Every structure is written in C-alpha cells, then in structure tokens.
Amino acid sequence: MSVDASAITVRPARTSDVRGMQGLIEPYVHRRILLGKELVTLFEAVQEFVVAERDGQLVGCGALHVMWEDLGEVRTIAAAQGSLGKGVGHAMLVALEERARALGLQRLFCLTFETDFFLRHGFQEVAEQVVEPEVFGELLRSLDGGVAEFLDLAHVKPNTLGNTRMLKLL
C-alpha cells in the first residue's frame, strides 16, 4: 500500500485539540503501551505537542520534552487506529525532530515498545546512562515522571517494564 504523507498536515497543538489528543492516547493507555495523562497535564503541556491532521480530522499527536541543554525526549506519539501505517507517526516524528534541532538539541531519547518504528528513524537502543553523573544529579531534581523514566529510577519500573530505551543523535 502506498502512503500519501503529503495529505498529512502537522502543526503545533492548540488547547482546542487537547480533548481529541486524549482520545487518541486512551486506546494506547488501555493496551499499556502509553502512560495515561490527566486532562490537566495535557493542557499544561500543550505547547510541547504537535498534532497531525488528515482531511481536517485529528489523526495523531506527539510531544517533545526538553530534558537538558542538549537532550530532549519524544513522548506520547499516538496515531488514530485507522491511521496506523499511513505515515502519521513518521510525519509527527519528523516535525518533532525539526523542533528539537531549532531548540539546539543534539540528542533525542524515547522509551518505547515500538522499537522497529524508531530504528527505522535512526534511533538506537541504549542500556547505559546517556548523561554525565553531574547532569544525572541535576535531573534527579525534576518532578517530571518522564525524566524519572529516563533516569531508570526504581519507582517508575512497574510502568516501564518491557519498554526499550532508545537514543538518536541529531
């Protein structure tokens, strides 16, 4: 099947998209692929998100979270069930990478079950810590759950079992 990625528009998310984004994310939460996000958390982080539209319909969302001066995390990539394999994830990841470069980031991290997708996009599996000890110490101060996942802290282990830690150099 050919994919018409040109029919997909990726743009920054707006507050009016948040409820639709939550609707895209929820099926993945129920399948334990993504962590659930409260509606208030999505509103608070809306500026980190891009959304994908096809024919005026919301078909995907994804976020870029800055973790450190050179490091960001790709988070919460979700495509509508009817849009899987149709270029939505690819289009969003390309847009998020462009954002990362514009911010001066040099590395992107993700914690995922979708290793084949991320491998195709230049990510590699990593097992070791990818930040220096002094940066690790600073990141420990973060209250963000995704940063705790990145640091591989014990209190988030039940939520991350089976996920693969991946990194891409930009």
Side-chain angles (χ1 to χ4, degrees):
M1 164 173 43
S2 71
V3 173
D4 183 11
S6 66
I8 299 167
T9 302
V10 178
R11 61 167 175 78
R14 299 185 282 255
T15 56
S16 59
D17 297 317
V18 168
R19 293 179 196 282
M21 290 164 34
Q22 188 179 46
L24 291 169
I25 295 165
E26 280 304 309
Y28 295 97
V29 172
H30 293 305
R31 292 178 16 223
R32 299 182 57 88
I33 293 171
L34 291 176
L35 293 177
K37 298 213 183 286
E38 297 294 335
L39 196 56
V40 67
T41 303
L42 290 172
F43 277 113
E44 289 172 343
V46 71
Q47 69 279 2
E48 295 184 356
F49 278 84
V50 296
V51 294
E53 292 179 318
R54 178 180 274 132
D55 300 324
Q57 297 295 311
L58 197 65
V59 294
C61 66
L64 171 67
H65 181 77
V66 175
M67 299 175 75
W68 199 249
E69 65 188 311
D70 67 333
L71 178 67
E73 180 184 7
V74 173
R75 298 182 166 180
T76 320
I77 290 185
Q81 296 304 304
S83 295
L84 295 175
K86 296 183 179 176
V88 173
H90 170 78
M92 289 186 301
L93 186 55
V94 167
L96 293 170
E97 288 180 6
E98 288 173 5
R99 271 187 165 191
R101 285 185 187 93
L103 288 168
L105 300 178
Q106 299 166 353
R107 301 179 296 164
L108 283 181
F109 169 79
C110 70
L111 184 65
T112 185
F113 289 107
E114 302 297 333
T115 55
D116 290 342
F117 171 79
F118 284 99
L119 284 169
R120 284 193 309 272
H121 289 87
F123 284 75
Q124 298 296 317
E125 291 184 26
V126 292
E128 73 284 347
Q129 278 301 337
V130 296
V131 294
E132 300 77 29
E134 59 274 6
V135 174
F136 185 92
E138 289 292 326
L139 291 175
L140 281 173
R141 295 182 174 135
S142 175
L143 300 176
D144 186 275
V147 174
E149 291 171 347
F150 168 75
L151 297 175
D152 205 22
L153 301 180
H155 72 274
V156 295
K157 291 271 190 208
N159 294 327
T160 61
L161 290 177
N163 282 354
T164 300
R165 298 161 53 82
M166 301 186 83
L167 191 72
K168 178 176 183 173
L169 301 178
L170 297 177

